[in-house]
Amino acid sequence: IYLNYGDYIICSGYIDSINIEKKIVLVSEDIQKSNYIEIVDPPLTTSVLENITQTKLGCTISIEKIEHTPFETRIFISASNNTNTDVSLGISNSIITQQTTQKHYFKNNIEANYNIPFSVKANQSINGIIPFEPLQSGFECEFSLEVSSNVKRDNFIFRFDPY
């Protein structure tokens, strides 16, 4: 298995030594690559959403599921660009509103190294995760995401119960 600096792993083994370059020598027979979600911040609840899809400006956005953790809320989206020009997704300015006044903002989690979809190439599709501050349970949500092409822009607004 090939590992990079910062990779998360699951294994049974022991640290054999630390070599001259101060690199840890790990002895294990069952190393598996993992990720931030599984190791550091697993979801407390997962809401799988159906038929949460909109199409505007030739771009289709779907919310696949939402994960809730003590540290963040993750929205898993897919985006299909059905045009001949690239589109930008305003992820950094996206907002979730609860109780009409409580706003939760995009929270870039560098440690997690999520695949955050800031743009979609012409005639392509992508999947990604958008992290937010933790939501409160029991309140309806409104998720707002701006999509823009070189000519137009529009807001996608999705309403859903978080869990």
Side-chain angles (χ1 to χ4, degrees), residues 51-64 76-83 85 87-89 117 119-121 123-128 143 145 147-148 156 158:
N51 302 319
I52 305 292
T53 300
Q54 291 182 26
T55 301
K56 296 181 182 180
L57 303 175
C59 187
T60 301
I61 307 285
S62 297
I63 299 176
E64 306 295 334
F76 291 71
I77 70 163
S78 63
S80 297
N81 179 359
N82 304 310
T83 70
T85 59
V87 295
S88 296
L89 305 179
S119 64
V120 187
K121 300 272 186 212
N123 297 305
Q124 293 190 10
S125 297
I126 55 151
N127 294 307
F143 169 56
L145 174 66
V147 175
S148 59
F156 285 68
F158 300 91

Side-chain angles (χ1 to χ4, degrees), residues 3 9-18 23-29 31:
L3 299 173
I9 62 169
I10 298 172
C11 69
S12 299
Y14 60 93
I15 296 174
D16 185 53
S17 62
I18 299 177
K23 294 183 180 180
I24 294 174
V25 177
L26 179 68
V27 176
S28 176
E29 292 185 16
I31 294 176

Side-chain angles (χ1 to χ4, degrees), residues 89-141:
L89 305 179
I91 301 296
S92 298
N93 299 321
S94 58
I95 297 173
I96 296 177
T97 305
Q98 284 188 300
Q99 299 177 310
T100 66
T101 57
Q102 188 175 6
K103 297 192 182 301
H104 301 271
Y105 297 94
F106 166 76
K107 178 184 121 181
N108 193 3
N109 185 342
I110 296 169
E111 186 179 342
N113 196 26
Y114 293 137
N115 176 27
I116 299 175
F118 290 102
S119 64
V120 187
K121 300 272 186 212
N123 297 305
Q124 293 190 10
S125 297
I126 55 151
N127 294 307
I129 300 172
I130 306 173
F132 287 89
E133 301 161 345
L135 298 179
Q136 290 184 346
S137 63
F139 297 103
E140 185 177 87
C141 297

Side-chain angles (χ1 to χ4, degrees), residues 64-88:
E64 306 295 334
K65 68 178 178 178
I66 301 172
E67 291 184 345
H68 309 281
T69 81
F71 306 110
E72 66 186 4
T73 296
R74 298 184 279 258
I75 295 185
F76 291 71
I77 70 163
S78 63
S80 297
N81 179 359
N82 304 310
T83 70
N84 293 322
T85 59
D86 296 355
V87 295
S88 296

